[in-house]
Amino acid sequence: MKKDIHPSNYRLVAFKDMSNEEVFITRSCADTRDTIEVDGVEYPLVKMEISSTSHPFYTGKQKLVDTAGRIDKFRNKYAKRAAK
């Protein structure tokens, strides 16, 4: 393994999803200003607007889009031009 290729501030960091208050801890070298205490240990804190715990794709609460209606509308609109 090569020496001196990793950042010097690579450490455990707490990431907090601000939409649902979920906190998870992982290694990161992200710059932080805030700290948070989790289970009696203080970690640097990175605040996020959305994570896998609140994103609709991962939670299964997706908003369905009516794509079939749009396709039919497109075909009807341009069918008149193709007929000419």
Side-chain angles (χ1 to χ4, degrees), residues 33-65:
R33 294 184 187 147
D34 301 325
T35 59
I36 190 171
E37 188 172 321
V38 178
D39 297 330
V41 180
E42 193 169 303
Y43 296 101
L45 175 65
V46 175
K47 296 178 183 177
M48 303 181 323
E49 294 297 320
I50 195 163
S51 71
S52 61
T53 61
S54 63
H55 193 281
F57 180 80
Y58 297 105
T59 61
K61 298 178 183 176
Q62 288 186 348
K63 183 178 180 182
L64 297 175
V65 178

Side-chain angles (χ1 to χ4, degrees), residues 7-49:
S8 61
N9 64 342
Y10 191 66
R11 73 241 186 257
L12 288 175
V13 176
F15 288 84
K16 183 175 184 180
D17 186 339
M18 301 308 288
S19 64
N20 64 3
E21 303 295 319
E22 185 76 26
V23 177
F24 59 95
I25 299 170
T26 187
R27 294 193 171 271
S28 177
C29 58
D31 292 328
T32 63
R33 294 184 187 147
D34 301 325
T35 59
I36 190 171
E37 188 172 321
V38 178
D39 297 330
V41 180
E42 193 169 303
Y43 296 101
L45 175 65
V46 175
K47 296 178 183 177
M48 303 181 323
E49 294 297 320

